[in-house]
């Protein structure tokens, strides 16, 4: 059988953790039964992310026009989708997110998958994105306020190809995390809008405002 996963920050395997616990108890001249050692080690165990525990928490914005609940982003059906609010991605670029709670405790995240409607049907589909996790900043001294963004990247910037079907990205190394954000940085038509900007055509076409948002069909975590 596969031994349990241990929180990555410890840097130990489960067997090594149990051995270390036993060594500490012996150094303190405390005889601990093996079942107690196993119980102590279990507090540092994490489980792989389970799709049944994943929940959508919130989004930076949502369009009221598409009429789908935010929870639809966990439904693999192609009849549901999420779109950010109108004007939320200026010229197809910005920082719109959907936030997820993967579990009620730390879990091991290794893969992220997404599916989009490709062009020409999906000009608003996300093109560039990354994952971020919540990491509370260290408690400041009384005389100093908290500084810095508590959301830190846990992935590189990934490019979502203009095609149908699931697209899967691997986190290497994997990450122990509880709450994450899928942060959308650009949409599929942003490159075309950029070309129009360079040729001074954007302001001449008011329809471009409708491309200033981003979305996708659904996501899943493993």
């Amino acid at each position: 059988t596969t031994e349990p996963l241990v929180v990555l920050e410890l840097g130990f395997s489960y067997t090594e953790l149990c051995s270390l616990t036993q060594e500490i108890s012996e150094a303190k001249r405390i005889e601990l039964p093996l079942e107690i050692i196993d119980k102590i080690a279990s507090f540092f165990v994490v489980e792989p992310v389970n799709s049944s525990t994943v929940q959508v928490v919130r989004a930076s914005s949502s369009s009221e026009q598409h009429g789908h609940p935010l929870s639809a982003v966990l439904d693999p059906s192609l009849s549901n989708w999420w779109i950010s609010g109108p004007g939320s991605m200026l010229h197809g670029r910005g920082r719109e997110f959907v936030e997820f709670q993967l579990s009620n405790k730390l879990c091991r995240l290794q893969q992220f998958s997404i599916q989009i409607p490709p062009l020409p049907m999906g000009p608003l589909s996300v093109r560039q994105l990354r994952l971020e996790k919540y990491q509370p900043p260290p408690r400041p001294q009384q005389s100093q306020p908290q500084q810095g963004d508590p959301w830190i990247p846990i992935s590189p910037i990934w490019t979502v190809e203009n095609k149908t079907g699931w697209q899967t990205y691997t986190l290497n190394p994997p990450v122990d995390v509880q709450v994450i954000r899928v942060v959308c940085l650009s949409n599929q038509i942003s490159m075309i809008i950029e070309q129009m900007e360079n040729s001074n055509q954007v302001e001449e076409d008011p329809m471009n405002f409708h491309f200033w948002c981003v979305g996708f069909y659904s996501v899943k975590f493993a």
Side-chain angles (χ1 to χ4, degrees), residues 9-222:
E9 288 183 353
L10 290 183
F12 296 113
S13 68
Y14 188 79
T15 300
E16 291 170 337
L17 181 59
C18 289
S19 297
L20 179 61
T21 304
Q22 187 172 14
E23 290 174 8
I24 293 174
S25 66
E26 291 174 352
K28 296 294 185 179
R29 297 182 180 179
I30 301 173
E31 294 186 7
L32 293 178
L34 291 178
E35 58 268 23
I36 298 300
I37 292 176
D38 190 66
K39 183 68 174 179
I40 294 172
S42 69
F43 285 100
F44 300 95
V45 168
V46 295
E47 298 290 336
V49 62
N50 187 328
S51 60
S52 66
T53 66
V54 178
Q55 296 179 325
V56 186
V57 178
R58 64 192 180 104
S60 50
S61 68
S62 292
S63 170
E64 297 179 356
Q65 297 180 355
H66 65 75
H68 299 291
L70 187 56
S71 59
V73 298
L74 294 175
D75 181 355
S77 169
L78 300 186
S79 60
N80 297 313
W81 56 83
W82 165 77
I83 300 176
S84 64
S88 58
M89 296 280 284
L90 183 64
H91 298 174
R93 295 180 294 275
R95 183 185 165 84
E96 289 295 294
F97 66 82
V98 180
E99 188 174 313
F100 299 86
Q101 178 172 305
L102 303 185
S103 177
N104 59 5
K105 57 183 179 180
L106 283 179
C107 59
R108 181 68 49 85
L109 177 63
Q110 293 185 299
Q111 287 187 332
F112 166 76
S113 300
I114 188 170
Q115 56 179 350
I116 64 167
L119 291 168
M121 183 174 60
L124 307 181
S125 295
V126 61
R127 175 169 174 78
Q128 289 185 312
L129 61 81
R130 72 182 180 195
L131 303 184
E132 296 180 354
K133 75 171 183 177
Y134 180 73
Q135 179 168 294
R139 181 175 297 179
Q141 299 179 359
Q142 289 184 341
S143 60
Q144 296 179 344
Q146 287 190 350
Q147 297 180 351
D149 188 349
W151 292 91
I152 62 172
I154 59 173
S155 77
I157 294 176
W158 289 321
T159 298
V160 182
E161 299 297 331
N162 182 42
K163 62 181 182 181
T164 60
W166 287 104
Q167 299 184 52
T168 299
Y169 306 87
T170 299
L171 288 162
N172 188 18
V175 179
D176 293 335
V177 66
Q178 183 177 357
V179 178
I180 71 165
R181 286 177 176 176
V182 177
V183 182
C184 301
L185 304 173
S186 67
N187 62 22
Q188 292 288 332
I189 207 170
S190 60
M191 292 186 300
I192 299 176
I193 294 179
E194 184 175 0
Q195 293 173 0
M196 296 175 67
E197 288 175 347
N198 294 335
S199 59
N200 298 319
Q201 296 181 30
V202 170
E203 294 183 357
E204 299 174 6
D205 187 355
M207 288 299 294
N208 286 324
F209 178 79
H210 296 286
F211 297 132
W212 292 0
C213 47
V214 68
F216 51 81
Y217 274 143
S218 53
V219 297
K220 58 185 179 181
F221 307 89

